[in-house]
Amino acid sequence: MSKDEFRGDLIHHKTMAELHFVVSLYANTDMYEEYKVEPMKVFSNQHWLIYYGILSAMIEKKKVSEIDQINIEMYISEQGEKLRAMYEKAGGWHTIEEAKQIIETENIDAYYREVLRYSAILKLHDSGFNIEKNWDKYSKLTYEELADAVTGSVDSIFSGIDMGEDKVEDMVDGMWEMLEEADKGSMRGLPVSSKLLNSVTNGQVAGNITMVAGASGAGKTYFSLCQTLPSAMRAKEPLLIMCNEEDKKKWQREIIAWQINNIQKKDLVKSRFYQGEFTADEWEMFRIARDWLNEMLANGLIKFVNFSTFSMNKSIKLIRKYATQNSIKYFIIDTLKLDNDVGSNVTELAWLQLQQNMVKLYNVIKPTAKNVHVWVTYQLNKSVRARFLDQSALGMSKNVADVVSTLILVRNALESEKGANGLKVKRADGQSVELSEEKEYMIAFIDKNRQGSTSSQIVWRVDKGRNIMKDVGFTKVSQDY
């Protein structure tokens, strides 16, 4: 076989890989974000380059969640005759429909890796690397194995194929523009309900992770609901809740109880949901709550998914999908756990998996990527008994907090911290206040905070049975020695 014939053979195999990959994305657009590529660096076949470009524009610019013949024709009509001519030359919608008959969408990962592999092989061949002579060896290697085999001599061939371009810039360029954007509030986070917490953390800042950690039963989910849902409703800011412990009905009961006790100012203890046999007055409270929530949560403002099994990859896929297709900026993961879906490999180095998962999550949500905010809850080690909570309370898995911007550790106030001899608490106006021995309180320790101070702790008066949470003030809890 001549050199040109061998290259032609490589291009044929690469074209088939591109066909399978692109058509799989048309068949299941949910996979687009996970398998996004830089088309000019990856595609050799002009037809599949055009099909991918149309797909990309419809998902990212038009926010289309499913592509069919009608909406693709509408999009192409908007773009002009040049694109229509290229689209029709490639075979139009008929090509996609025919190709769908020969692909298996569940094999998209294999198709994606074949595209990357043949992109690299073709570039190696064109760079003078003797691929043909060693074809028996190289044809059996995966993309990663191929990269390892030639690392050092052809690094540039692999750079940028499945990694974004990292741009080196002058530090002072755009500095004034940054200040003008900040003046307009571009750096302001979506507020939480607590004015005290907002004053310290600047709310939920896009491109960052807020982690709320506490012992089992401390009230992490209660805290998260009271702080995030009311502000999302007031701001009409869409929110996606990803949960692996509590189901949708549990969250519905929680938000109904919150509405009745905080908006209607009536009295409903959550235990009533489990007792049943509601009174006429209770049914009236429920009706008012339902109507109010239907109005406040119209058009799917808050979406919910209950994972049957948890994996960070599932969470990341949903974040990518809803950030891209629904422009959602705020997400909750309740509760962060080890991957426990089918195929997960849990070892004695589980804490390392958690750390790596948090890095993967941050790489998706950071300002240079999707630029969204994720609120994560995390359970502390059962053996933690310290009065003063900091990152060390996370135990062996303390490095999970490396990429979070705000680490909030919560616990209930001790009886010894109430009364005249208890904690010294100051309200926002500077007035001292004593914690009542008849009431319950929650204390938050801000151990990590990229937006503000970590020197004081925040105290709230809480009624977990009614989903009521009120600011009390700032305090300083003594360190444990």
Side-chain angles (χ1 to χ4, degrees), residues 429-468:
D429 60 8
Q431 295 295 311
S432 296
V433 60
E434 182 179 298
L435 301 186
S436 170
E437 295 178 353
E438 304 302 317
K439 295 179 180 178
E440 298 299 318
Y441 300 90
M442 178 178 277
I443 304 173
F445 299 76
I446 316 297
D447 183 63
K448 184 178 181 182
N449 183 18
R450 291 177 181 165
Q451 277 76 47
S453 172
T454 62
S455 60
S456 297
Q457 290 72 57
I458 303 174
V459 182
W460 293 275
R461 178 173 60 81
V462 299
D463 186 338
K464 295 179 185 177
R466 294 175 172 82
N467 284 347
I468 295 173

Side-chain angles (χ1 to χ4, degrees), residues 391-406:
Q391 197 164 333
S392 65
L394 301 176
M396 286 292 291
S397 56
K398 60 182 179 294
N399 289 335
V400 298
D402 284 354
V403 294
V404 309
S405 62
T406 306

Side-chain angles (χ1 to χ4, degrees), residues 45-82:
N45 185 279
Q46 287 299 307
H47 292 171
W48 296 115
L49 175 63
I50 290 165
Y51 281 120
Y52 184 86
I54 293 171
L55 172 88
S56 178
M58 290 183 69
I59 291 175
E60 297 199 15
K61 296 178 182 178
K62 295 294 185 179
K63 308 299 181 184
V64 173
S65 59
E66 186 175 340
I67 296 179
D68 56 35
Q69 186 172 7
I70 295 174
N71 58 26
I72 199 172
E73 287 288 346
M74 290 177 60
Y75 171 75
I76 289 172
S77 295
E78 295 171 358
Q79 305 307 307
E81 289 304 314
K82 184 176 180 181

Side-chain angles (χ1 to χ4, degrees), residues 194 196 222 226-227 258 261-262 265 440-442 458-463 467-473:
S194 167
L196 297 180
Y222 154 82
C226 290
Q227 292 302 325
W258 175 87
N261 290 294
N262 292 274
K265 306 295 183 182
E440 298 299 318
Y441 300 90
M442 178 178 277
I458 303 174
V459 182
W460 293 275
R461 178 173 60 81
V462 299
D463 186 338
N467 284 347
I468 295 173
M469 191 171 190
K470 300 294 184 182
D471 284 351
V472 177

Side-chain angles (χ1 to χ4, degrees), residues 240-295:
L240 173 62
I241 302 169
M242 295 170 279
C243 194
N244 59 60
E245 291 189 344
E246 310 288 359
D247 62 15
K248 178 182 173 182
K249 290 181 179 179
K250 172 69 161 58
W251 277 75
Q252 288 175 330
R253 293 193 295 270
E254 296 289 337
I255 198 169
I256 288 171
W258 175 87
Q259 197 281 339
I260 290 172
N261 290 294
N262 292 274
I263 303 300
Q264 296 184 44
K265 306 295 183 182
K266 298 293 181 62
D267 184 38
L268 179 79
V269 181
K270 289 187 289 187
S271 60
R272 287 294 295 123
F273 290 118
Y274 299 93
Q275 296 162 357
E277 299 182 353
F278 302 133
T279 66
D281 286 343
E282 287 172 333
W283 274 118
E284 178 63 12
M285 290 190 296
F286 292 148
R287 184 192 64 76
I288 294 172
R290 178 202 62 189
D291 292 346
W292 188 89
L293 289 168
N294 281 343
E295 179 181 349

Side-chain angles (χ1 to χ4, degrees), residues 297-414:
L297 304 181
N299 302 314
L301 186 75
I302 297 179
K303 298 185 181 297
F304 183 93
V305 59
N306 181 220
F307 291 133
S308 54
T309 57
F310 179 78
S311 80
M312 184 58 77
N313 285 338
K314 283 184 183 179
S315 302
I316 287 172
K317 285 179 183 179
L318 284 172
I319 290 170
R320 282 174 166 160
K321 175 182 176 180
Y322 281 90
T324 300
Q325 298 179 9
N326 299 74
S327 299
I328 292 181
K329 292 182 179 179
Y330 298 93
F331 299 84
I332 295 174
I333 298 177
D334 181 45
T335 301
L336 175 68
K337 290 180 175 289
L338 283 170
D339 289 353
N340 58 15
D341 59 340
V342 176
S344 296
N345 182 25
V346 179
T347 70
E348 66 274 10
L349 296 178
W351 58 270
L352 182 58
Q353 184 202 89
L354 279 171
Q355 180 186 350
Q356 292 170 337
N357 279 348
M358 286 298 290
V359 172
K360 286 163 59 178
L361 175 65
Y362 180 70
N363 285 339
V364 171
I365 67 95
K366 63 187 179 182
T368 54
K370 289 300 174 186
N371 195 32
V372 299
H373 180 272
V374 180
W375 181 287
V376 177
T377 63
Y378 184 70
Q379 185 167 312
L380 296 180
N381 191 304
K382 290 182 173 62
S383 64
V384 174
R385 293 290 183 269
R387 292 178 71 248
F388 189 93
L389 298 179
D390 58 19
Q391 197 164 333
S392 65
L394 301 176
M396 286 292 291
S397 56
K398 60 182 179 294
N399 289 335
V400 298
D402 284 354
V403 294
V404 309
S405 62
T406 306
L407 174 60
I408 305 170
L409 300 106
V410 297
R411 67 167 175 82
N412 298 316
L414 304 173

